[in-house]
Amino acid sequence: MPKDGGSEVFRITGARQGLADDVRGRQRRYIISMTVRTLSVIAAAVLWNVERHVAIVALALGILLPYVAVVIANAGRETAPSLPSTFVPAPVRPALGVPEAAADGDTERPYGRN
């Protein structure tokens, strides 16, 4: 126990992100993508008579981005990178050894059977 009077701190490296942080991150990504969509629609309106090809690309981006933003926002929580295994392997039993007589080259079987 530390002498500072504080408690011992444990680090959890394989834990998931908290639910509130996950929702906040998805909301942030959605707001950013909707801002890009709004800017692309405004750019399409401004550039329609100036540079028609760029305006069409910006309009296509403005039409497709809401679908992509909703799919990304509803993607759900991330999977944990490496959860600890709950499987505990059984202890390994040593294999039966070769009888000493067979190791010396004796071909007789134990108990007098040949």
Side-chain angles (χ1 to χ4, degrees):
M1 184 108 13
K3 292 182 181 180
D4 300 343
S7 62
E8 201 171 341
V9 177
F10 296 97
R11 182 178 299 218
I12 303 174
T13 57
R16 282 191 194 188
Q17 183 181 17
L19 183 59
D21 293 335
D22 182 59
V23 170
R24 188 178 315 119
R26 286 192 279 153
Q27 287 174 343
R28 183 179 302 127
R29 287 190 299 270
Y30 184 79
I31 293 297
I32 289 170
S33 61
M34 287 297 105
T35 303
V36 170
R37 178 203 182 223
T38 303
L39 293 176
S40 66
V41 169
I42 291 171
V46 169
L47 295 174
W48 189 257
N49 290 327
V50 178
E51 189 68 38
R52 179 102 11 132
H53 297 347
V54 177
I56 291 173
V57 170
L59 188 61
L61 181 67
I63 291 171
L64 294 176
L65 201 56
Y67 171 75
V68 174
V70 168
V71 169
I72 290 173
N74 291 332
R77 298 185 74 181
E78 80 284 349
T79 58
S82 60
L83 291 176
S85 175
T86 57
F87 174 74
V88 178
V92 179
R93 293 183 177 178
L96 295 176
V98 179
E100 292 180 24
D104 294 335
D106 189 8
T107 58
E108 276 189 37
R109 293 188 179 183
Y111 307 114
R113 295 183 188 171
N114 284 335

